[in-house]
Amino acid sequence: MSKPQILLARAIFPEVIERLSAHFDVETNQADDIWSKQIFIERLKEKVGVLTTGGERIDAEVLRACPKVRICANMAVGYNNFDLEAMTTAGVLGTNAPDVLTETTADFGFALLMATARRVTESEHFLRAGQWTKWSYDLFAGAEVHGSTLGIIGMGRIGQGIARRGAHGFGMNVIYHNRSRLTPQAEADCKAKYVSKEELLRTADHVVLVVPYSPASHHTIGAAELALMKPSACLINIARGGIVDDKALAEALKNKRIAAAGLDVFEGEPVVTPELLKVPNVVLTPHIASATIPTRRAMAMLAADNLIAFLSGQAALTPLNPFAVR
Ligand code: 8YV
C-alpha cells in the first residue's frame, strides 16, 4: 500500500526526515529554496500534510488549490502565517510547537536585553574598527540591568521565563501587561506585578515584547507609545515583526527619544527597515531567539509528531483548531 504524501517546506534535520519517512512518502526541500506561493501550491497539491516554518502562508487560496491537505504542522510557536479561520472553514488542522522553545527563547530575550543595555555589539564594532585607543571612565557606559524595572508586554510562557530570569537572577522589579492577569501563584513565581500598558511604558527601564502577532497587536509600540517611555529606556522585541512600528522606532532611536533597542524580528523580514541599519544604538539579530540545535530539533520533532499522530488517526499533540477536522 502506498504511503500518504507529505511536504516539508524547508530544509530540516535528517533525523526528522527519517522519522517521517517511516510513515509517509516525503517530499523535501533540502536545498532550502524559498518557493514562490505558486511553486509552494504546486508542491503541496497532492499532499495530505505539510511541515511549515513561520515563513509559509497558509490561506484560503492555498487551501482551495490543495484540497487534499488535512494538516499543516508549524515548526514555530507563533502561527500568524496561518489563516486559522480559513483553515477551520476548510476543515484543515493547524498545529504549532509550544513549550519546547520556551526556556531557550527566554534565554535569548535576556541575552538581547543584556547586549542592548550594556552596548555589547556597538562597542565591539568600535573595537574591531580599530577605534579603541584609550580607556575612559564613560566609554560605552550603558544602562543598569540588575535592580532595574523590567516591563514585559505579553506574559505567556516565554514572558514568564524572562520574568523569572529578571526577578530571581538579576533582582529586577518585574511589572507586566497582558490581555489577562496571571493567577496569584504564577505572579508570585515570577515576582511580577500586573500594571496597565501605559504605566508599564512610563515606568519600565527595559521593555520586553513577547506578544503573539495578530491584527489587534499590530504596532503595539508606535510613536505614541515610544513617547511615553523613559529617555533612558531600552526596548526589546523578540515577538514578531509588526508588533513594533520599525520606522517610528528608528526615528526614536535617532533622536535619542529612548536609549536603545534590541530587535530579533522585523516588519517585512528578512528585509530590515533601512533606517534601523543606520542607527548605532540598536542590536539587530536575524530571528534567532529559538536557535539552538537541541531546541530547533525538538521543534521539528514536535511538528513531525503532530503529522504522524493526526494522519494515523490519533489526536494531534498541540492542535490550534481541534474542531476543524474533517
Ligand atoms: C521560529 C519563532 O524559529 O517559534 C516561533 O514562533 O518565531 C521561531 O522560534 C520561526 O518562526 C521559524 O519557524
Side-chain angles (χ1 to χ4, degrees):
M1 209 175 82
S2 64
K3 295 182 200 162
Q5 295 181 45
I6 64 162
L7 177 68
L8 311 185
R10 297 288 305 276
I12 200 73
F13 297 91
E15 56 268 40
V16 174
I17 299 177
E18 201 177 314
R19 176 154 169 67
L20 287 166
S21 297
H23 302 262
F24 306 113
D25 182 358
V26 182
E27 180 173 339
T28 63
N29 176 14
Q30 290 304 84
D32 212 24
D33 293 327
I34 301 297
W35 295 329
S36 66
K37 194 169 193 181
Q38 243 12 73
I39 292 178
F40 179 60
I41 286 175
E42 280 310 310
R43 302 272 196 276
L44 190 58
K45 238 178 196 136
E46 295 303 318
K47 313 293 191 294
V48 292
V50 57
L51 193 155
T52 50
T53 68
E56 294 75 41
R57 177 120 189 99
I58 304 292
D59 58 15
E61 184 190 350
V62 171
L63 296 167
R64 251 195 320 274
C66 307
K68 294 185 180 173
V69 170
R70 297 179 52 220
I71 172 170
C72 302
N74 224 22
M75 181 193 151
V77 65
Y79 51 89
N80 54 304
N81 57 315
F82 286 176
D83 179 340
L84 212 56
E85 220 177 280
M87 290 170 72
T88 303
T89 305
V92 172
L93 180 70
T95 64
N96 68 339
D99 301 322
V100 290
L101 79 182
T102 299
E103 298 303 328
T104 300
T105 304
D107 281 349
F108 189 82
F110 226 86
L112 202 50
L113 165 57
M114 294 292 290
T116 303
R118 299 303 308 272
R119 305 174 68 180
V120 173
T121 55
E122 195 185 348
S123 60
E124 185 185 346
H125 288 147
F126 167 88
L127 182 151
R128 283 182 188 272
Q131 292 173 301
W132 188 29
T133 53
K134 62 178 177 38
W135 177 91
S136 55
Y137 78 95
D138 61 350
L139 184 65
F140 288 102
E144 213 71 90
V145 174
H146 73 274
S148 65
T149 295
L150 171 61
I152 301 174
I153 300 184
M155 199 62 154
R157 289 163 285 220
I158 298 169
Q160 290 173 52
I162 293 169
R164 283 194 304 273
R165 282 158 177 76
H168 301 299
F170 288 79
M172 296 171 93
N173 166 38
V174 180
I175 55 178
Y176 77 98
H177 184 73
N178 198 43
R179 267 179 315 185
S180 51
R181 260 188 89 152
L182 298 181
T183 61
Q185 182 59 53
E187 283 188 352
D189 285 349
C190 33
K191 293 194 184 170
K193 181 177 160 228
Y194 182 84
V195 294
S196 69
K197 180 176 158 191
E198 188 176 312
E199 184 181 344
L200 185 145
L201 292 170
R202 283 188 197 284
T203 55
D205 296 305
H206 307 286
V207 175
V208 180
L209 304 170
V210 212
V211 270
Y213 182 83
S214 72
S217 62
H218 184 74
H219 287 184
T220 295
I221 302 294
E225 289 75 19
L226 290 161
L228 294 177
M229 290 173 66
K230 293 181 180 180
S232 56
C234 297
L235 177 72
I236 309 300
N237 185 10
I238 58 162
R240 270 293 178 273
I243 297 290
V244 173
D245 177 344
D246 285 351
K247 273 217 161 96
L249 175 61
E251 195 61 24
L253 290 167
K254 193 171 110 194
N255 301 332
K256 304 274 168 59
R257 174 76 275 296
I258 64 168
L263 308 174
D264 186 49
V265 287
F266 304 88
E267 290 191 286
E269 65 184 55
V271 177
V272 175
T273 299
E275 290 85 346
L276 280 173
L277 299 172
K278 292 186 199 134
V279 284
N281 47 342
V282 59
V283 179
L284 305 165
T285 53
H287 202 148
I288 57 168
S290 66
T292 68
I293 293 298
T295 292
R296 285 278 166 85
R297 188 184 289 113
M299 293 162 72
M301 280 296 183
L302 179 51
D305 286 345
N306 271 311
L307 287 164
I308 293 166
F310 181 70
L311 291 172
S312 60
Q314 293 154 31
L317 286 84
T318 50
L320 294 167
N321 55 342
F323 305 112
V325 180
R326 276 181 275 170

